[in-house]
Structures are given as structure tokens and as C-alpha cells.
């Protein structure tokens, strides 16, 4: 029997992960509810002063989305390790890096995309000016895939380790600092009427590099973790 064509294999992996995520819709809702709760608490804690909330709105939304993504990061490969499908994926004739890229894409679609959809609501609760919301969404569209790619490499390194959620958070947070700085810098520049394209361009360049290197690193780390 001839091996499955590469495009069909990619679509099958993506469809499988999306179907499994849909069956566990509660897991998708948890990061969204967490982000809503955290963003709602800031006006109560800091007061209803519009100028203060506007100044911190971009950073609050970015950090809230980051922390909400961390909630679902530990589960990226958990079910595949438990049912043995990850070992089958490693032994498959298709390139492992490409198959893992499809799994990372499914994770981004089910975790980060719902957060991006509600980001305008979170920003509106903090009185972020409407013209700046487009820059915020663009920053999130570039920053969140990078967080998923970096997180996938760390998840692969700790594959099979029980209760690795805290370890993943400690390892990922330092890597996320530059991403948050550039994304928040673009939003802050847009609020002040300054050029904001440069930090967005740096985010785009970093994302392009991560798209190429992260799946390869994830595949290598996963092989090491499974052989250990």
C-alpha cells in the first residue's frame, strides 16, 4: 500500500485535532472565560478613570491573552501521548516537523483565535480608542502564533513529564517577554500617534523565523523526549 500523500496527511492531522477539540468544547471556553474575568477586574481595581485605563489597555489585553494561552499549553500533546498516536506520528513516513506544524496550527485555531475574537471586547472594556484596535489585533495575529510555536517546542521537551504546567510557564515566560514588548510597543505608539510599523515588522520577521525553525526544533525535541 502506497503512503498517504503529504497534503492529505496534513489535512487529516488538522481535521483530527480540530474534531477532538470540538468534542472538548469546555477546554476551549476556559481560556476565554479566564481572559474575560481578568480584564473585568482591572477597572474595579484601578478605578473608572478613562485616561489610566486607556494607557494600560494594550498591555493588559496582551498579557491577559498570553496568560490565557498558557492555560491550554500543557494539553497540546497530552492526549496524543496518552493514546499512543504521537509515537505513530513519529514513525509515519511523512515529515514529522510538518505534521507537528499542523498540530500547532490546530492548537492556535482552538486556543488563540477565540481570544483574538474577544480582544476588541476586552479592549473596549478598558476604553482603548477604536482606531488603535486594528493595531492591537494585528499585533495579536503576529504574537499569538509565535507563542504557540515557542510553547510547542517546550511542550515537546517535557513530553511525558507529569504535571509539567508550572515548568512550561517558567520556561516560556522569559521567551515571551520580547514578543510582549514589541506588541505592546506598537499599540502604545499607535495610541500616541507615532509610527507603529517598525515593531510590527520585527514581530513579523520573528514569526517568519519561528515558522521555519520551531517545527524542526519541536520534532527533534519530541524524538529526544520519546527515546529517553
Amino acid at each position: 500500500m502506497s503512503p498517504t500523500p503529504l497534503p492529505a496527511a496534513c489535512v487529516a492531522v488538522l481535521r483530527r485535532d480540530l474534531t477532538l477539540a470540538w468534542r472538548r468544547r469546555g477546554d476551549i471556553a476556559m481560556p476565554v472565560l479566564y481572559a474575560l474575568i481578568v480584564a473585568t477586574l482591572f477597572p474595579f481595581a484601578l478605578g473608572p478613570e478613562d485616561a489610566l485605563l486607556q494607557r494600560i489597555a494594550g498591555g493588559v489585553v496582551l498579557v491577559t491573552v498570553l496568560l490565557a494561552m498558557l492555560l491550554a499549553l500543557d494539553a497540546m500533546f497530552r492526549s496524543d501521548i496518552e493514546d499512543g498516536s504521537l509515537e505513530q506520528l513519529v514513525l509515519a513516513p511523512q515529515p514529522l516537523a510538518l505534521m507537528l506544524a499542523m498540530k500547532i496550527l490546530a492548537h492556535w485555531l482552538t486556543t488563540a483565535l477565540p481570544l483574538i475574537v474577544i480582544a476588541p471586547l476586552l479592549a473596549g472594556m478598558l476604553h482603548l480608542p477604536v482606531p488603535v484596535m486594528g493595531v492591537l489585533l494585528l499585533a495579536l495575529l503576529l504574537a499569538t502564533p509565535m507563542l504557540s510555536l515557542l510553547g510547542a517546542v517546550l511542550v515537546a521537551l517535557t513530553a511525558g513529564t507529569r504535571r509539567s504546567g508550572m515548568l512550561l510557564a517558567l520556561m516560556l515566560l522569559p521567551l515571551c517577554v520580547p514578543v510582549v514588548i514589541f506588541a505592546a510597543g506598537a499599540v502604545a505608539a499607535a495610541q500616541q500617534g507615532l509610527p507603529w510599523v517598525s515593531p510590527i515588522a520585527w514581530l513579523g520577521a520573528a514569526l517568519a523565523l519561528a515558522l521555519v525553525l520551531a517545527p524542526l526544533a519541536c520534532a527533534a525535541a519530541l524524538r529526544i523526549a520519546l527515546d529517553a
Side-chain angles (χ1 to χ4, degrees):
M1 182 181 295
S2 60
T4 305
L6 186 57
C10 293
V11 172
V13 171
L14 182 61
R15 182 185 298 136
R16 173 186 178 274
D17 282 15
L18 292 178
T19 302
L20 291 176
W22 178 251
R23 292 176 181 174
R24 300 191 297 263
R25 292 184 287 274
D27 294 341
I28 299 176
M30 286 301 296
V32 175
L33 292 176
Y34 172 84
L36 286 171
I37 292 171
V38 171
T40 303
L41 292 176
F42 270 91
F44 290 104
L46 300 177
E49 184 181 349
D50 289 352
L52 175 60
L53 294 177
Q54 286 179 8
R55 189 164 65 250
I56 67 170
V60 168
V61 173
L62 288 167
V63 173
T64 300
V65 170
L66 163 64
L67 295 177
M69 289 183 65
L70 286 178
L71 292 177
L73 188 61
D74 187 31
M76 184 179 293
F77 299 140
R78 184 192 303 160
S79 61
D80 299 306
I81 294 174
E82 291 175 351
D83 61 17
S85 60
L86 200 57
E87 285 83 355
Q88 296 180 4
L89 204 63
V90 172
L91 298 174
Q94 290 81 14
L96 179 59
L98 191 56
M99 298 296 101
L100 293 177
M102 293 298 103
K103 298 184 75 63
I104 296 170
L105 175 59
H107 177 268
W108 181 83
L109 290 173
T110 56
T111 302
L113 191 58
L115 293 170
I116 295 175
V117 170
I118 68 165
L121 174 61
L122 304 180
M125 293 166 55
L126 299 172
H127 304 288
L128 186 71
V130 175
V132 185
M133 288 190 183
V135 180
L136 175 63
L137 291 177
L138 181 58
L140 287 172
L141 285 172
L142 294 174
T144 51
M146 199 165 358
L147 297 178
S148 293
L149 289 164
L150 294 174
V153 177
L154 299 180
V155 171
L157 285 172
T158 59
T161 303
R162 294 184 178 181
R163 298 180 180 179
S164 58
M166 184 60 67
L167 178 61
L168 286 172
L170 292 175
M171 293 193 307
L172 183 60
L173 284 176
L175 300 177
C176 295
V177 170
V179 179
V180 174
I181 288 175
F182 280 107
V187 177
Q191 283 185 268
Q192 298 170 13
L194 300 174
W196 49 267
V197 176
S198 179
I200 291 294
W202 278 106
L203 278 177
L207 176 59
L209 189 64
L211 284 172
V212 176
L213 298 180
L216 297 173
C218 185
L222 195 59
R223 286 193 174 97
I224 294 172
L226 293 179
D227 290 342

